[in-house]
Amino acid sequence: MLEMRGITKRFPGVLANHRVDFTVNAGEVHTLLGENGAGKSTLMKILYGLYQADEGEIFLSGERVEIHSPTDAIAHNIGMIHQHFMLVETLTVAENVALGLPSNRGLRTDLDAVSERIEELAGRYGLAIDPGAVVWQLAVGQRQRVEIIKALYRDAQLLILDEPTAVLTPQEVDQLFVTLRQMTDDGRGLIFISHKLHEVLALSDRITVLRQGTITGQVPVEGATRESLALMMVGRQVKLAPDKPPVEIGEVALEIRGLSVMGDRGDKAVRGLNLEVHAGEILGIAGVSGNGQREMAQAIAGLRQATAGSIRIGGVETTNHTPADVRKNGLAYVTEGRLRDGAIADFSVSENILLIDHTDKRYLKRGLLDFKAIKEHSLRLVDEYAVKTPTIDTPAKNLSGGNIQKMILAREMSGTPTVLVASQPTRGVDIGAAEYIHKRLVQQRAENTAIMMISEDLDEVFALSDRIAVIYEGQIIGIVDRQTATREQIGLMMAGVRPE
Amino acid sequence: MSEFFTQAVLIAAVASGIRLAVPLLLASLGETYGQRSGVLNLGVDGIMLLGAFGGYYTVLKTDNVWLGLAMGIGVGVILGLVSAVISVTLKAEQGISGIGIYLFGLGMSDLLFQKLVGTPLPVGSFPKLDIPGLSDIPILGEMLFRHSIIVYVAFGLVPISMYIINRTTFGMNIRAVGENPEAADSLGVSVVRIRYLTVTIGGMMAGIAGAALAIDLGIFQQNLTNAQGFIAIALVYFGAWRPAGVMAGSLLYGFVNSVVLQFKTLGIIPRSWSDIAAMAPAIITILALVLVARRFRQPAALTKPFTRGT
Ligand SMILES: Nc1ncnc2c1ncn2[C@@H]1O[C@H](COP(=O)(O)OP(=O)(O)OP(=O)(O)O)[C@@H](O)[C@H]1O
Ligand SMILES: [Mg+2]
């Protein structure tokens, strides 16, 4: 149904797509696979009219079409789920769905009719949602459903899904796949993008690999394995789980006692939480998102007020100290919200890398910033963490999603902190980079850093942790040793079942 | 002090408070549209001044207050469009560009006044309309239902604006564009078109506000508005971007102003204090609203120009 022919797209200093040919048949899932910055989102944005290609043509059902704007794309029954949510948080679900569509009541909105149709679609595709709910109140998984309903409502026959699973829990991913399968059974064509290879294998019919803007391979899903896909993507063998040499577990480096923290909506997100992380261990925090992980991490970093309890880093009380002070006491923090609170979108890569180090003596010369030293430092980190960017002076917002994450990691993990809190460290990051990040985490552990790793990816939790703590409704409901832990056990605890 | 608490004085104070609130209400309602869609127009006061002069001059020449009001609309629409070009198409820094419009309006209105009129000649004012039946209610009738027509128009625009913003497709688009223009754009809502419309509505309302002020006073002079346009912008913030909040703020300002005026007339405030007293309405209004309306968040895209990738 879709054929893209010879698509080329240049950005200043980057060839994002180079003569890309790409097709989708009705009723199939065609996966686009590639490293961070390979050009996947760019190709999809061209198809959806958000970017204009420099060269190339697009055909739909054999006919050549021009797509200059999302309006054109929608008119051709193309829908897109974007890598970052495209929802108006202050509007209701029904309003978000109705946006841009004519109302059958003239100037007035016809939200009750829209709501009815939403419920009909929701029922048919298993996307339970309350059309009257305001979006900011919705959890991530529900928001994703709204995005899908938006596309279904416009009768999208071709649906682009740019990393739709990055923020979902495993259960939500399973549900999503059921819905997506139902859509292909209706004869719709889907384009799927993900860095998680087991998902790609579970969902796809065909897989195309993009590398540095060029197509380097295409295979049917039959016969493909995680290893073979990784090899196609990165061009070398990738270790999917890191080697973890045993280390001596040290003293308690992070101690949390009776911590309570408020959430964004004035609710109690963390309720009297107790936890200890020792030097030289990786403590994995498993849990369905929205159970207080974010608020806990922010409170540790001094970014959110603790209403009760205490936090000690390396034996020093840091409860409700300023973020700068907490850092001085040896904390490094990798946030999950990348462009929102991990980086400054309009700052260059090198400025973003310097953010926390700007008072460091190494980068000062007679009280002024020493630009030569900064440049060297930035270049080294960009290189080490394989942050793909034209130059270190490029603004962060022009980087691909995964590369922004790598830039933040490079900044936070470059020193030797006493405590490292890493939230979703490999979310949206390609497998090559994930391998490197895991290796770095294990190295940090060998250097006696106490690491708290918050992750919804159970594979990651099991691959890296020494102990696994499960967070549920703002409390730790159980801690298990990695050696004895089973997935079933952790899964039950994530659902709120207390261990015996 | 006791002179103030007589029935006649109190009624007059409330009635004049409502009257004084009108220009602010018109201007801040208009600015609400722009800000809800993400555009801050700091030029309101300049547009008001030119609208005021246009309205005044038209009434002076034709002796028809409705033509004067129409002139205010015309001046407002044109300057609103100019503001839209500057902030939406040219994507100028909104914290600064509006000041240009203000200075232009301030200087231009005075220049035109000096060249075309020179000495302040009074003109006729809006006709009064006593609402049949309602205006006979004791006390309340005198306070609320014996005003000039423009007063009813201004307050009538409050529920109409609430309806437009909350219940129409246009209003939904305004809210979406002011909150997350990328999301609106990805569904085919034209961010540029919506913002042109809202900024032009804002300009039009500022023009009407200016004309209403001049015609109500029956006079024009340099800087007639005395920064009411800036207070109107503040009212939008503190009225939490909602027509009802904006109305409450305008009324509060009007009442405080009218009480200060009454106090002065009755000699409760000594003459030497009158400068300080003149600032009181603005200060009290802003303080009160800061305390009341802090829990509301501003439109997320306010002052941020929108560009789609290329
Ligand atoms: N608006 C832009 N301006 C300049 N460069 C851009 C822009 N958008 C993308 N790029 C560059 O184009 C390249 C491809 O980016 P794209 O977002 O398509 O990658 P991706 O394959 O989706 O990666 P990821 O897996 O990290 O999301 C990157 O090098 C990126 O820096
Ligand atoms: Mg991408």
Side-chain angles (χ1 to χ4, degrees):
Chain A
M1 65 198 291
L2 167 77
E3 186 177 355
M4 297 177 88
R5 232 184 254 166
I7 303 286
T8 295
K9 176 71 186 172
R10 292 177 201 93
F11 289 116
V14 193
L15 184 58
N17 288 150
H18 183 61
R19 297 201 190 137
V20 174
D21 297 323
F22 187 76
T23 62
V24 180
N25 301 324
E28 78 163 346
V29 179
H30 191 165
T31 291
L32 203 48
L33 203 58
E35 294 177 277
N36 296 128
K40 305 177 297 289
S41 295
T42 302
L43 186 67
M44 294 302 109
K45 285 181 183 171
I46 290 171
L47 179 56
Y48 195 64
L50 287 164
Y51 291 159
Q52 302 302 312
D54 295 323
E55 287 159 38
E57 302 174 313
I58 301 174
F59 298 84
L60 282 170
S61 321
E63 259 179 69
R64 173 136 193 230
V65 293
E66 298 275 345
I67 301 175
H68 293 297
S69 67
T71 316
D72 293 346
I74 294 167
H76 286 113
N77 293 82
I78 300 174
M80 178 157 178
I81 312 279
H82 299 261
Q83 190 162 359
H84 308 280
F85 284 124
M86 283 285 191
L87 295 169
V88 184
E89 296 204 0
T90 49
L91 300 190
T92 63
V93 171
E95 286 176 320
N96 268 283
V97 172
L99 263 185
L101 292 173
S103 156
N104 56 28
R105 250 195 241 144
L107 295 178
R108 275 187 300 154
T109 48
D110 55 348
L111 293 176
D112 34 347
V114 174
S115 302
E116 235 168 74
R117 176 110 179 85
I118 290 175
E119 285 186 341
E120 193 185 307
L121 286 170
R124 179 134 57 95
Y125 289 96
L127 298 161
I129 198 87
D130 169 14
V134 182
V135 168
W136 67 260
Q137 299 175 318
L138 299 182
V140 179
Q142 293 172 305
R143 291 182 191 208
Q144 191 64 276
R145 279 181 233 155
V146 181
E147 292 283 24
I148 292 173
I149 289 175
K150 268 162 65 180
L152 285 172
Y153 197 94
R154 287 162 177 75
D155 194 24
Q157 291 301 317
L158 178 65
L159 184 63
I160 304 160
L161 298 130
D162 194 350
E163 299 195 33
T165 57
V167 292
L168 300 185
T169 62
Q171 290 84 344
E172 287 170 333
V173 171
D174 292 344
Q175 266 178 23
L176 174 70
F177 283 8
V178 173
T179 305
L180 296 182
R181 268 298 156 210
Q182 223 177 324
M183 291 172 70
T184 52
D185 289 346
D186 294 350
R188 297 175 212 262
L190 304 186
I191 304 172
F192 179 68
I193 298 177
S194 170
H195 290 294
K196 299 180 189 160
L197 296 178
H198 62 269
E199 293 177 0
V200 171
L201 290 170
L203 186 70
S204 321
D205 296 302
R206 266 198 298 165
I207 300 159
T208 290
V209 176
L210 207 55
R211 225 164 112 188
Q212 303 190 1
T214 323
I215 291 200
T216 53
Q218 198 189 86
V219 288
V221 74
E222 294 83 25
T225 62
R226 287 171 69 170
E227 287 72 22
S228 72
L229 291 177
L231 182 64
M232 273 172 78
M233 253 172 84
V234 190
R236 64 180 166 82
Q237 291 293 342
V238 175
K239 267 217 195 78
L240 296 166
D243 294 327
K244 246 176 56 187
V247 290
E248 191 88 3
I249 300 290
E251 306 203 327
V252 175
L254 172 66
E255 184 187 342
I256 304 174
R257 288 267 158 272
L259 180 71
S260 289
V261 187
M262 297 290 225
D264 286 340
R265 297 153 210 175
D267 51 331
K268 252 192 157 188
V270 179
R271 321 155 180 250
L273 180 143
N274 297 306
L275 199 59
E276 285 176 356
V277 190
H278 297 259
E281 80 164 338
I282 298 181
L283 177 74
I285 307 265
V288 177
S289 78
N291 273 292
Q293 294 94 320
R294 196 172 124 245
E295 290 81 1
M296 170 186 70
Q298 288 179 335
I300 296 172
L303 294 166
R304 192 178 276 267
Q305 175 98 12
T307 50
S310 74
I311 299 164
R312 288 165 163 272
I313 293 174
V316 184
E317 170 88 31
T318 60
T319 324
N320 290 333
H321 285 203
T322 62
D325 204 40
V326 178
R327 276 185 186 286
K328 232 175 266 156
N329 278 306
L331 180 89
Y333 175 39
V334 178
T335 57
E336 55 173 28
R338 292 166 202 163
L339 271 184
R340 205 181 46 211
D341 38 32
I344 299 178
D346 289 313
F347 273 27
S348 72
V349 170
S350 125
E351 285 167 327
N352 266 297
I353 285 180
L354 186 70
L355 276 180
I356 57 164
D357 281 340
H358 65 271
T359 52
D360 191 314
K361 292 213 175 48
R362 281 174 297 169
Y363 312 119
L364 291 176
K365 214 176 182 175
R366 290 181 225 102
L368 297 174
L369 291 175
D370 178 354
F371 285 101
K372 197 158 151 269
I374 290 166
K375 197 170 162 199
E376 277 166 13
H377 175 65
S378 307
L379 281 173
R380 189 168 53 75
L381 286 179
V382 162
D383 185 54
E384 232 175 75
Y385 284 80
V387 180
K388 202 178 161 226
T389 173
T391 68
I392 55 171
D393 299 318
T394 304
K397 65 177 176 200
N398 286 353
L399 262 53
S400 79
N403 279 304
I404 294 171
Q405 178 76 347
K406 287 197 264 179
M407 178 187 80
I408 296 170
L409 278 154
R411 177 181 74 206
E412 296 295 327
M413 291 175 55
S414 59
T416 35
T418 317
V419 176
L420 171 67
V421 175
S423 210
Q424 320 291 352
T426 57
R427 174 186 284 177
V429 164
D430 68 49
I431 45 164
E435 177 196 31
Y436 182 74
I437 290 165
H438 287 165
K439 210 171 83 193
R440 287 286 312 168
L441 283 170
V442 171
Q443 268 173 22
Q444 290 273 6
R445 166 176 169 271
E447 285 163 26
N448 252 329
T449 299
I451 300 174
M452 174 192 279
M453 183 188 70
I454 303 168
S455 175
E456 280 160 30
D457 182 349
L458 275 189
D459 287 335
E460 181 167 79
V461 170
F462 272 84
L464 289 178
S465 311
D466 297 302
R467 289 188 300 151
I468 302 173
V470 179
I471 189 168
Y472 180 76
E473 293 193 338
Q475 291 179 333
I476 299 296
I477 77 164
I479 301 182
V480 245
D481 203 275
R482 163 68 184 92
Q483 299 307 328
T484 59
T486 64
R487 282 172 169 268
E488 291 66 39
Q489 183 188 15
I490 302 290
L492 278 176
M493 286 186 349
M494 282 168 70
V497 180
R498 279 178 194 278
E500 293 308 309
Chain B
M1 196 81 195
S2 62
E3 315 82 298
F4 181 74
F5 292 100
T6 63
Q7 194 175 335
V9 174
L10 278 173
I11 290 174
V14 172
S16 100
I18 291 176
R19 214 186 94 215
L20 290 171
V22 165
L24 273 168
L25 177 57
L26 288 165
S28 51
L29 271 182
E31 177 74 5
T32 302
Y33 285 87
Q35 291 201 14
R36 273 315 266 279
S37 76
V39 186
L40 170 70
N41 184 0
L42 282 182
V44 176
D45 203 50
I47 302 179
M48 279 179 78
L49 280 166
L50 274 171
F53 175 76
Y56 166 79
Y57 188 67
T58 308
V59 180
L60 188 69
K61 290 289 154 189
T62 65
D63 214 16
N64 183 330
V65 290
W66 305 116
L67 282 180
L69 204 60
M71 180 56 90
I73 293 180
V75 169
V77 166
I78 291 168
L79 287 173
L81 276 172
V82 172
S83 310
V85 172
I86 294 171
S87 50
V88 182
T89 305
L90 302 178
K91 304 185 205 304
E93 186 67 51
Q94 289 170 22
I96 297 168
S97 63
I99 301 292
I101 300 261
Y102 164 64
L103 292 173
F104 171 77
L106 179 67
M108 198 64 181
S109 60
D110 188 39
L111 180 73
L112 288 171
F113 179 68
Q114 301 299 343
K115 287 273 174 241
L116 299 177
V117 188
T119 46
L121 302 166
V123 297
S125 188
F126 292 107
K128 280 236 203 186
L129 175 67
D130 294 354
I131 308 272
L134 292 177
S135 59
D136 298 330
I137 304 172
I139 304 181
L140 223 53
E142 268 183 80
M143 285 178 179
L144 303 180
F145 302 112
R146 293 188 190 174
H147 283 289
S148 58
I149 296 175
I150 189 77
V151 175
Y152 305 118
V153 172
F155 283 90
L157 283 172
V158 174
I160 293 178
S161 295
M162 283 165 76
Y163 186 82
I164 291 177
I165 291 174
N166 295 317
R167 295 266 177 273
T168 66
T169 313
F170 176 49
M172 189 168 80
N173 287 340
I174 293 176
R175 286 180 284 138
V177 162
E179 200 63 36
N180 188 344
E182 283 79 20
D185 178 63
S186 77
L187 293 178
V189 174
S190 168
V191 178
V192 169
R193 199 174 67 94
I194 298 292
R195 288 186 171 172
Y196 258 81
L197 283 168
T198 57
V199 174
T200 306
I201 290 174
M204 179 181 80
M205 299 279 281
I208 299 175
L213 178 68
I215 297 171
D216 184 45
L217 295 172
I219 202 75
F220 187 85
Q221 64 185 45
Q222 190 207 15
N223 194 18
L224 178 79
T225 55
N226 206 1
Q228 285 193 38
F230 289 99
I231 297 187
I233 295 168
L235 285 180
V236 177
Y237 271 82
F238 302 127
W241 297 270
R242 281 154 183 78
V246 160
M247 178 178 76
S250 306
L251 279 173
L252 181 65
Y253 178 89
F255 288 143
V256 177
N257 217 337
S258 115
V259 168
V260 170
L261 285 177
Q262 293 283 0
F263 278 13
K264 267 204 262 184
T265 325
L266 296 172
I268 297 173
I269 303 177
R271 276 209 169 271
S272 54
W273 283 29
S274 71
D275 282 348
I276 297 174
M279 292 194 306
I283 294 171
I284 293 175
T285 308
I286 288 173
L287 275 182
L289 290 166
V290 167
L291 296 178
V292 174
R294 289 183 55 151
R295 353 177 222 123
F296 293 95
R297 217 171 38 77
Q298 68 177 41
L302 186 58
T303 76
K304 298 199 182 82
F306 172 72
T307 322
R308 188 193 289 159
T310 44

